[in-house]
Amino acid sequence: MAVSAIRVFATACIRSDRSGDLSSRPHYPSMPRYPKGVQVEENLMVKGSEAKALFSVIGMTCSACAGSVEKAVKRLPGIRDAAVDVLNNRAQVLFYPSFVNEETIREAIEDVGFETTLLKEGLNESPSQICRIQIKGMTCTSCSRTVESVLQGVQGVLKAQVALATEVAEVKYDPKLVNYSQLVEVVEDTGFEAILISTGEDKSKIHLKVDGLLTDQYTSLIKNSLEALPGVEDVDIDLMLHKVSIAYKPDQTGPRNFIQAIESVGSRQFMAMLFPEVGGREAHREEEIKKYYLSFLWSLVFTIPVFLLSMVFMYIPGIKNKLDTKIVNMLSVGELLRWILSTPVQFIIGRRFYSGAYKALRHGSANMDVLIALGTNAAYFYSVYSVLRAATSENFKSMDFFETSAMLISFILLGKYLEVLAKGKTSEAIAKLMNLAPETAILLTLDSKGNVINEEEIDSQLIQKNDVLKIIPGAKIASDGLVIWGQSHVNESMITGEARPVAKRKGDQVIGGTLNENGVLHVQATRVGSESSLAQIVRLVESAQMAKAPVQKVADRISKYFVPLVIVISFSTWLAWFLAGKYNGYPKSWLPSSMDSFQLALQFGISVMVIACPCALGLATPTAVMVGTGVGASKGVLIKGGQALESAHKVNCIVFDKTGTLTVGKPVVVSTKLLQNMVLREFYELVAATEVNSEHPLAKAIVEYAKKFRGDGECWAWPEARDFVSITGHGVKATVQNREIIVGNKSLMLESNIPIPVDAEDILAETEGMAQTGILVSMNGQMVGVIAISDPLKPSAKEAISILKSMNIKSIMVTGDNWGTANSIAKEVGIETVVAEAKPDQKAERVKELQASGLTVAMVGDGINDSPALVAADVGMAIGAGTDIAIEAADIVLMKSNLEDVITAIDLSRKTFSRIRLNYIWALGYNLLGIPIAAGVMFPGAKIRLPPWVAGAAMAASSVSVVFCSLLLKNYRRPKVLDKLEVCEIMIERL
């Protein structure tokens, strides 16, 4: 598959289907003129239904094979798109049956030289979909585990993940067996509030508001009009809100087409516009923060008076006498006021804890709410019993704990408020990414000659593929696209982390959300909506924050038994102290004034119950992962979740590919030695005709060099190459102008029985000694020339290897290139272990051998041939300018394609994992120390005891401390030596 050479984002390249030259000379500054006959690309509408076919293609070994298959298919009429997966030996083709059929496509693939079979069963497989659901009301890992297990039990659900820190469930399901509405209902049946975030990762979706009288007839017409548009996948109309939701394929249609379709219904009596956003996860987060804040303030209104009545006024003689005034028997004014004031706190403000406890117990689990409900109820209802008994007795002196229940709830609400406030900051990375896209864009309308005839400011959500946008200096680029006029510098640091502005001119690609600095650009939109690089990066970071690190399983196992164990310990504590007091197990002098043994035991039991905090355990890992992946994204290092973070911190061996990884990846021809008398132009005409069918970087370098022998006005078509064959890791063969051409390495020539003269051997040795790649060319069985190709080292390669060595990380190079070049490159960068002339499967085998020797291996590569090794490695790192397949196979994507980011990724993972360890020390250590102190182990000797309200405050503080500990990762700074390295790179580039 043809892949762009410049790519700085995570999961896909920005492609353009444009061809031809565009004039850089405008009519006038704001109205460029394009050459006659060259027009801005429009969506191609082909009548008839679109079909899909899946083929098994046997014999593909590399990207060159995949490129050959793709080109052969796309040459056929009626082909809309073709995608070739070389790893799975499959080709998927979208076509129009009125122009071409499956048999013709199959024959075209076989003509290229591969065995092909139509896979009908592959298309009948039910495609899975992914939906994301916001879940409100979860308090600890017991809640998230309950929701996850309930979702997993639904028929049709393939996988469910629930993240406590983000309060999001990601569900992979079979749409034929269950839909997202049913999944939302299942979550709500567990007792939590569920809000649908998205219904699939492969769809763009837009919501429109329709003004006008929507009758059943017009509703049906609007729906039919929208569904008739190509690329529309689903239409949902909410009559109450006048809201139309449309899921669509952005490469076929777009929002302005929908608005036009709606407004054309009837006598143009409807007006459509973007539906105003009133929700979103940030809005829900703000709502949650506000809710806890208000609850805490209302609790203070009642709790402060209770505290003053219990702890302050009782020591002021005048006020104390009034409060001790008896109302009925031994019931005093102070006790009655405390009862009245604490009741709203217990049952109205604290209602959420009852609700949460009920939800958990209903599904057979116990969470933090259960502990709070039990603790506050014990204090409140014992106090009620004490007050009622005083009211009915003439000599009973009551002792109430109303201040305990009220203050306990207030401190827990304060802790929850601080916790949600801090948790909101852990996901700031996603919020910042989502806010990069500008709200508006300037849309240009062009005539048939390419002249600008109109400018219009539109909402950026209305941008469609192939729109031409005007980007003024200081404005953000509204969409991924291709520069078709103008030149400027673009600051891409917000996406890639690259600090240096990048020069852009006609033909260069730009990324949506980046900042145009000093010139006017006209950009043709190539990827919009969910296909844009910004949207893909956001999805990748979201998925990373959802994924659980293996270390989190420890916390999940502990939390499963944590609450029941705490309840048992709490009851045992109360019983032990109660029996000790009843049977004189300790001196009466130990008892505080106005408190008996039962009340002392009750306080110890309640303190144990409320000091234990399962939340801190549940938040220890995900909050650190959220912050770590967010920091990584801001620095151009996309880490795909906790698994990658945990594995990366253990890495002690890195396997590097050579081309495009250690080297720049843009090989150039540096010299040519002919062994027979022939014109150099004719030589390159034949070689280029052979290599043009290959996607290998070296082949592209030869073709580009061959173009220099042609004039600007000459036709760019090369002579026809027949019987083209690509031999993975060796070279290519073809017949051009009745000559049998072989272009490749020494082993290919020997296998083809082509004699290699001594002169050629000497030239090869000299070439390889200079770290260049020697390509041999034979025609009709005779060696005719040697092409020397150089792929310069990346400026930071040598220093990066040296820094890794100082970190006790072993570096190995595994490449498909020849041994001479490989050894020269390795010597130059300081790598001692080299494996050359390795095929893709041999790279993966080498990785497995290193793992078998006890090493934790990371693989750094950029090509399709690196994908097996990337998957086999403990951590796969894909260079951001690499192929789609390599990026998909990797665990970490280095968007800037700089080797120093390998060091950043490992260093960040080590810092993140040390933060996770520190969080566990906080959480587990806190509980291991706090519970015994709350149970009274220090009371006999030091007379230290924790009143329940103090224990509650400590419990609230524990989860807050864990979240804030994770937030400290936001201050991460990469190793200082990398900053010096970057300065050197800039100086080298300027020179």
Side-chain angles (χ1 to χ4, degrees):
M1 184 178 293
V3 181
S4 171
I6 303 175
R7 184 175 336 169
V8 287
F9 50 89
T11 59
C13 65
I14 305 175
R15 291 189 184 86
S16 171
D17 299 326
R18 287 193 50 79
S19 61
D21 186 31
L22 299 176
S23 173
S24 61
R25 183 179 60 191
H27 249 186
Y28 48 88
S30 62
M31 294 180 64
R33 180 179 63 191
Y34 309 112
K36 187 177 180 180
V38 177
Q39 297 187 17
V40 177
E41 183 182 326
E42 300 291 342
N43 280 332
L44 182 63
M45 300 293 184
V46 181
K47 292 183 178 179
S49 60
E50 180 185 295
K52 181 191 293 183
L54 188 66
F55 297 90
S56 170
V57 184
I58 306 301
M60 294 190 299
T61 54
C62 68
S63 59
C65 304
S68 301
V69 172
E70 186 176 332
K71 287 178 181 178
V73 172
K74 286 186 173 180
R75 287 194 192 105
L76 298 173
I79 300 295
R80 195 178 75 75
D81 197 12
V84 182
D85 182 353
V86 71
L87 292 181
N88 295 311
N89 295 312
R90 290 190 174 191
Q92 181 174 288
V93 184
L94 298 177
F95 64 99
Y96 298 98
S98 56
F99 289 86
V100 68
N101 57 37
E102 290 97 334
E103 183 60 24
T104 305
I105 298 170
R106 188 187 66 78
E107 290 175 357
I109 298 174
E110 288 193 339
D111 287 344
V112 185
F114 301 101
E115 184 182 338
T116 310
T117 309
L118 178 65
L119 296 175
K120 292 184 179 179
E121 68 276 9
L123 297 175
N124 294 330
E125 293 176 1
S126 176
S128 62
Q129 289 187 5
I130 295 175
C131 75
R132 300 168 74 87
I133 303 170
Q134 181 88 30
I135 302 173
K136 299 174 70 176
M138 295 190 298
T139 56
C140 64
T141 48
S142 295
C143 302
S144 59
R145 193 176 60 249
T146 298
V147 176
E148 196 169 280
S149 61
V150 169
L151 286 170
Q152 289 278 23
V154 176
Q155 185 181 8
V157 171
L158 306 175
K159 184 181 180 182
Q161 275 189 314
V162 179
L164 174 64
T166 57
E167 296 180 335
V168 171
E170 188 173 88
V171 188
K172 186 177 183 181
Y173 64 97
D174 184 343
K176 289 186 177 180
L177 299 176
V178 66
N179 59 45
Y180 56 81
S181 299
Q182 291 171 310
L183 296 174
V184 170
E185 289 176 12
V186 166
V187 174
E188 290 180 338
D189 286 342
T190 62
F192 298 98
E193 186 180 347
I195 301 163
L196 187 68
I197 299 172
S198 64
T199 57
E201 288 193 342
D202 299 321
K203 290 182 181 178
S204 285
K205 195 164 189 177
I206 194 162
H207 306 284
L208 301 176
K209 182 178 178 63
V210 180
D211 285 343
L213 182 61
L214 281 176
T215 63
D216 290 341
Q217 179 186 358
Y218 283 128
T219 300
S220 179
L221 282 172
I222 288 174
K223 189 169 185 178
N224 292 337
S225 298
L226 291 169
E227 288 176 341
L229 294 173
V232 172
E233 297 185 327
D234 185 49
V235 178
D236 182 53
I237 300 178
D238 188 329
L239 293 175
M240 293 290 293
L241 298 175
H242 281 227
K243 180 179 181 181
V244 181
S245 301
I246 308 151
Y248 65 99
K249 296 178 180 177
D251 60 335
Q252 296 183 42
T253 189
R256 298 202 307 280
N257 293 340
F258 306 147
I259 292 174
Q260 185 179 5
I262 293 171
E263 293 182 346
S264 66
V265 171
S267 304
R268 296 195 173 274
Q269 62 196 64
F270 297 105
M271 182 177 289
M273 65 198 75
L274 289 170
F275 196 87
E277 291 186 11
V278 293
R281 274 167 291 176
E282 288 307 308
H284 293 306
R285 179 76 71 186
E286 291 297 325
E287 181 186 343
E288 186 181 22
I289 291 171
K290 184 178 179 181
K291 190 180 294 184
Y292 274 113
Y293 179 68
L294 291 176
S295 295
F296 173 63
L297 288 184
W298 275 110
S299 70
L300 288 183
V301 170
F302 297 97
T303 301
I304 290 175
V306 172
F307 171 77
L308 293 174
L309 289 169
S310 303
M311 307 288 186
V312 179
F313 294 160
M314 297 305 294
Y315 298 98
I316 301 175
I319 299 176
K320 181 180 184 303
N321 294 335
K322 291 181 180 179
L323 293 175
D324 287 340
T325 304
K326 307 303 179 188
I327 302 173
V328 179
N329 290 329
M330 296 296 290
L331 176 63
S332 66
V333 172
E335 290 168 343
L336 182 61
L337 288 174
R338 288 194 292 271
W339 185 10
I340 293 171
L341 289 168
S342 63
T343 299
V345 179
Q346 182 70 35
F347 296 108
I348 299 176
I349 298 169
R351 181 178 54 193
R352 68 178 68 242
F353 302 116
Y354 286 99
S355 175
Y358 169 73
K359 294 170 189 174
L361 294 173
R362 193 178 70 171
H363 292 279
S365 63
N367 61 6
M368 185 194 78
D369 291 329
V370 173
L371 296 178
I372 295 170
L374 285 174
T376 57
N377 277 343
Y380 179 83
F381 284 107
Y382 173 77
S383 301
V384 171
Y385 159 77
S386 180
V387 167
L388 291 177
R389 187 173 174 188
T392 56
S393 173
E394 295 182 355
N395 54 15
F396 178 79
K397 190 173 182 180
S398 69
M399 173 67 182
D400 65 81
F401 296 129
F402 285 122
E403 81 285 350
T404 294
S405 67
M407 293 175 68
L408 187 54
I409 288 173
S410 296
F411 275 114
I412 290 169
L413 288 173
L414 173 61
K416 292 300 292 182
Y417 167 68
L418 295 174
E419 182 184 321
V420 296
L421 202 64
K423 278 164 64 178
K425 294 183 181 296
T426 62
S427 57
E428 277 184 355
I430 290 181
K432 287 179 179 178
L433 283 171
M434 295 177 75
N435 290 333
L436 286 178
E439 294 182 358
T440 60
I442 300 174
L443 176 68
L444 300 180
T445 304
L446 310 178
D447 61 17
S448 60
K449 296 181 179 180
N451 296 319
V452 177
I453 57 176
N454 186 45
E455 292 185 10
E456 178 187 3
E457 188 173 56
I458 63 170
D459 192 295
S460 60
Q461 294 182 57
L462 297 179
I463 297 172
Q464 298 182 183
K465 187 176 181 182
N466 300 318
D467 282 345
V468 177
L469 308 172
K470 179 180 178 181
I471 315 297
I472 62 176
K476 288 182 180 179
I477 297 170
S479 168
D480 294 356
L482 184 75
V483 177
I484 59 175
W485 178 83
Q487 58 183 20
S488 180
H489 284 80
V490 175
N491 186 341
E492 297 181 342
S493 61
M494 56 283 296
I495 298 290
T496 67
E498 182 65 65
R500 300 188 293 272
V502 182
K504 300 290 181 181
R505 60 183 63 192
K506 183 184 65 179
D508 289 339
Q509 294 151 344
V510 291
I511 306 171
T514 55
L515 185 67
N516 182 29
E517 292 201 337
N518 52 14
V520 177
L521 296 176
H522 288 184
V523 173
Q524 182 186 2
T526 55
R527 288 179 177 265
V528 297
S530 62
E531 290 188 335
S532 70
S533 25
L534 182 59
Q536 292 180 44
I537 290 172
V538 168
R539 280 205 302 272
L540 192 148
V541 176
E542 285 180 329
S543 297
Q545 294 184 347
M546 284 290 301
K548 293 182 179 179
V551 70
Q552 193 173 339
K553 294 176 182 177
V554 178
D556 290 343
R557 282 196 294 268
I558 293 173
S559 64
K560 186 176 180 180
Y561 306 102
F562 186 84
V563 174
L565 181 63
V566 168
I567 292 172
V568 170
I569 294 173
S570 175
F571 179 78
S572 302
T573 299
W574 168 80
L575 186 62
W577 278 101
F578 173 68
L579 293 177
K582 186 173 183 180
Y583 295 104
N584 300 317
Y586 58 82
K588 297 294 182 184
S589 60
W590 285 11
L591 287 172
S593 60
S594 70
M595 188 180 291
D596 59 26
S597 60
F598 176 85
Q599 293 166 340
L600 181 65
L602 183 64
Q603 276 209 352
F604 281 130
I606 293 173
S607 294
V608 169
M609 193 171 294
V610 297
I611 200 170
C613 184
C615 290
L617 277 172
L619 293 170
T621 299
T623 52
V625 169
M626 284 177 69
V627 178
T629 52
V631 168
S634 69
K635 296 187 179 298
V637 178
L638 292 181
I639 303 170
K640 297 182 181 179
Q643 173 75 58
L645 271 172
E646 184 165 346
S647 299
H649 94 279
K650 303 174 185 174
V651 167
N652 50 22
C653 175
I654 297 181
V655 176
F656 289 95
D657 175 45
K658 180 181 77 70
T659 306
T661 303
L662 290 172
T663 62
V664 175
K666 295 180 182 177
V668 292
V669 174
V670 292
S671 66
T672 310
K673 298 288 185 181
L674 295 179
L675 304 176
Q676 293 186 11
N677 289 320
M678 65 185 303
V679 178
L680 194 59
R681 171 176 171 142
E682 181 189 359
F683 172 81
Y684 270 105
E685 191 88 2
L686 296 170
V687 174
T690 306
E691 290 281 32
V692 75
N693 296 296
S694 173
E695 291 294 320
H696 197 282
L698 298 182
K700 288 184 177 181
I702 292 173
V703 173
E704 286 300 314
Y705 186 75
K707 289 179 182 178
K708 295 179 180 179
F709 291 93
R710 293 188 169 189
D712 293 338
E714 291 190 59
C715 176
W716 283 103
W718 300 104
E720 182 183 1
R722 294 180 288 106
D723 304 323
F724 174 82
V725 179
S726 174
I727 300 96
T728 305
H730 294 282
V732 295
K733 296 180 180 180
T735 301
V736 182
Q737 296 179 349
N738 296 321
R739 301 190 199 184
E740 186 182 350
I741 313 292
I742 301 178
V743 184
N745 57 19
K746 184 177 178 180
S747 60
L748 177 59
M749 298 301 166
L750 295 175
E751 288 175 10
S752 304
N753 297 317
I754 308 294
I756 302 176
V758 176
D759 290 349
E761 293 274 13
D762 293 341
I763 294 168
L764 275 180
E766 183 183 349
T767 299
E768 292 171 2
M770 293 187 293
Q772 297 170 356
T773 301
I775 303 295
L776 299 173
V777 180
S778 76
M779 297 182 184
N780 291 333
Q782 296 295 317
M783 189 68 59
V784 296
V786 181
I787 301 172
I789 298 178
S790 174
D791 185 7
L793 274 176
K794 288 182 177 177
S796 59
K798 185 176 181 180
E799 289 77 8
I801 299 300
S802 175
I803 294 168
L804 287 170
K805 192 176 291 185
S806 69
M807 296 169 67
N808 296 320
I809 297 175
K810 182 179 181 181
S811 296
I812 296 173
M813 185 173 75
V814 179
T815 177
D817 210 339
N818 63 73
W819 278 99
T821 304
N823 284 324
S824 297
I825 291 288
K827 184 178 180 181
E828 193 170 344
V829 299
I831 292 178
E832 298 175 358
T833 307
V834 181
V835 178
E837 299 180 9
K839 295 181 180 179
D841 56 336
Q842 292 172 329
K843 290 185 179 182
E845 285 301 319
R846 181 57 179 162
V847 167
K848 291 174 183 176
E849 288 173 10
L850 292 168
Q851 290 170 325
S853 67
L855 296 171
T856 302
V857 182
M859 171 70 194
V860 184
D862 71 321
I864 291 175
N865 59 340
D866 298 322
S867 300
L870 288 169
V871 173
D874 296 287
V875 181
M877 297 186 187
I879 294 293
T883 64
D884 292 336
I885 294 175
I887 286 172
E888 287 296 328
D891 301 299
I892 297 175
V893 179
L894 311 176
M895 294 192 291
K896 289 184 288 185
S897 301
N898 292 338
L899 282 180
E900 55 261 40
D901 283 345
V902 173
I903 300 162
T904 301
I906 293 174
D907 184 64
L908 177 60
S909 69
R910 289 179 176 179
K911 294 287 196 321
T912 303
F913 207 76
S914 67
R915 190 66 56 182
I916 290 172
R917 286 200 192 98
L918 185 58
N919 283 347
Y920 276 123
I921 291 171
W922 269 104
L924 287 171
Y926 167 86
N927 282 292
L928 290 173
L929 289 174
I931 290 175
I933 294 172
V937 294
M938 299 183 70
F939 185 67
K943 297 297 182 291
I944 295 175
R945 65 185 178 91
L946 292 180
W949 64 270
V950 175
M955 183 270 279
S958 67
S959 55
V960 174
S961 64
V962 164
V963 177
F964 275 104
C965 186
S966 294
L967 281 174
L968 291 175
L969 267 174
K970 293 180 74 174
N971 299 322
Y972 170 80
R973 295 289 181 271
R974 66 180 190 166
K976 290 182 179 179
V977 66
L978 296 184
D979 294 327
K980 297 177 182 177
L981 196 58
E982 187 172 9
V983 171
C984 293
E985 284 183 18
I986 294 172
M987 292 177 65
I988 291 171
E989 284 184 7
R990 287 177 178 174
L991 291 173

